[in-house]
Amino acid sequence: MTLFYYVPWWLVTAVVTLICVAVACGGHILVRRAFPRTNFIEHNEVAGFIVAVVGVLYAVLLGFLTVVVWEHFSAAEDQTVQEVDAATDIARFADQIDAIDRLRVVSDLKSYTGAVIHDEWPKMQNGESSAKAQLYVTRLFADASEMRVKSLRDANLQNHLLDRVQTMADLRRRRITSDQSAMPPVVWASLIAGGAALMGFIYLFGLKNFKAQLLMTAATATMIGLCFSIVISLDYPYRGDISISPERWIALDRELTAGGLDAGSKRVPREKMRGFQ
């Protein structure tokens, strides 16, 4: 299944749909050839009632699973936004602390941002995470913990800084955990078996013009294939063409660089950070 995430989304949609159409129409042709003398028109009344029930049940199942996958994708996207927001808050609080402490925090934050963009995000395409990103998270914890506290204001800043580092670390773990399928194998098996059962009942219908009936079978299989392709495309939030991009991380990294933080000698202008609220 993961092979689909290494090709463009439109190709995934085309391939999945064509497979469904080919299997459904091929099965219909085989059934007709296996029972050439059977008058399927006689079964229309009973088959119509059964296929209506089976079709509704399968539509509910397919629609429910599509919603589940979409919510999984949406939740992962929200967590990514919150993670960037937490990193932005770290830069904001670092702007208020002593210059030496600020230099360490900002340097490690920018290193973490770069590791997420250039190392972790590509690895998440394969379900992996970055050791570099984990290293810089650990360093940020150390930077905040070892911050020199000279006043109550410094103590408050340190508490807030530690809280945002912890939040960012928690959200990173959730992001890595979210890079998994929302559809267990048993659900995929049920989905495929249900589609096969539905097509089987459709085979019991009969029309005088078999070509017209074959077109109806192809249309039904096309709709099932399109739904399958949507579920496949959204199942892994950080893989494939339709995936969560590191765009907000790139924007944050650009603003940190524009603020001179890569040189380690300037503070982040507050107006530069207003776009990341």
Side-chain angles (χ1 to χ4, degrees), residues 9-273:
W9 67 268
W10 58 267
L11 185 58
V12 173
T13 302
V15 168
V16 172
T17 303
L18 287 175
I19 289 175
C20 290
V21 172
V23 172
C25 292
H28 205 160
I29 293 172
L30 289 176
V31 168
R32 282 304 177 94
R33 289 183 177 179
F35 304 95
R37 297 182 180 180
T38 302
N39 185 4
F40 288 93
I41 297 179
E42 296 179 351
H43 304 152
N44 284 355
E45 184 175 350
V46 176
F49 174 77
I50 296 176
V51 80
V53 176
V54 174
V56 170
L57 292 175
Y58 188 70
V60 171
L61 174 64
L62 194 57
F64 173 74
L65 294 178
T66 302
V67 171
V68 168
V69 172
W70 171 252
E71 289 183 346
H72 177 63
F73 185 93
S74 180
E77 190 172 29
D78 290 341
Q79 290 170 8
T80 299
V81 172
Q82 293 172 18
E83 185 184 359
V84 178
D85 290 343
T88 303
D89 291 341
I90 293 173
R92 284 173 171 164
F93 286 123
D95 190 35
Q96 305 296 323
I97 63 179
D98 183 83
I100 297 178
D101 293 327
R102 179 174 66 249
L103 177 62
R104 292 189 304 169
V105 172
V106 167
S107 176
D108 287 335
L109 177 61
K110 191 170 191 313
S111 296
Y112 173 76
T113 302
V116 168
I117 297 170
H118 303 295
D119 189 37
E120 188 154 71
W121 225 267
K123 286 184 176 180
M124 291 183 71
Q125 289 284 336
N126 300 317
E128 302 173 356
S129 59
S130 170
K132 291 181 180 179
Q134 179 61 40
L135 172 64
Y136 290 120
V137 168
T138 304
R139 286 187 179 180
L140 282 168
F141 272 115
D143 295 338
S145 300
E146 296 170 5
M147 177 181 144
R148 289 175 294 181
V149 178
K150 300 178 182 179
S151 64
L152 181 60
R153 176 180 178 275
D154 292 342
N156 288 332
L157 285 172
Q158 184 183 40
N159 289 334
H160 286 301
L161 194 59
L162 283 169
D163 175 72
R164 301 318 293 165
V165 174
Q166 180 65 61
T167 299
M168 187 183 71
D170 291 342
L171 290 169
R172 174 179 176 266
R173 283 194 295 270
R174 293 182 189 177
R175 168 164 53 82
I176 295 172
T177 303
S178 297
D179 192 24
Q180 298 177 359
S181 173
M183 301 271 289
V186 64
V187 176
W188 274 113
S190 301
L191 203 60
I192 295 172
L198 177 61
M199 298 310 302
F201 282 112
I202 291 177
Y203 294 165
L204 298 178
F205 280 93
L207 293 177
K208 293 181 179 180
N209 188 339
F210 181 63
K211 291 183 179 179
Q213 186 177 4
L214 204 60
L215 287 175
M216 297 178 187
T217 301
T220 304
T222 298
M223 292 303 300
I224 294 176
L226 290 174
C227 290
F228 271 32
S229 64
I230 292 174
V231 172
I232 291 173
S233 298
L234 298 178
D235 196 19
Y236 288 89
Y238 297 96
R239 306 187 195 184
D241 277 358
I242 304 178
S243 61
I244 301 170
S245 72
E247 181 180 355
R248 289 181 64 89
W249 281 110
I250 294 172
L252 175 58
D253 183 70
R254 189 183 301 119
E255 294 298 335
L256 291 174
T257 302
L261 295 178
D262 53 335
S265 60
K266 297 181 181 179
R267 300 172 64 172
V268 184
R270 293 190 183 89
E271 61 272 12
K272 291 287 187 179
M273 307 307 297

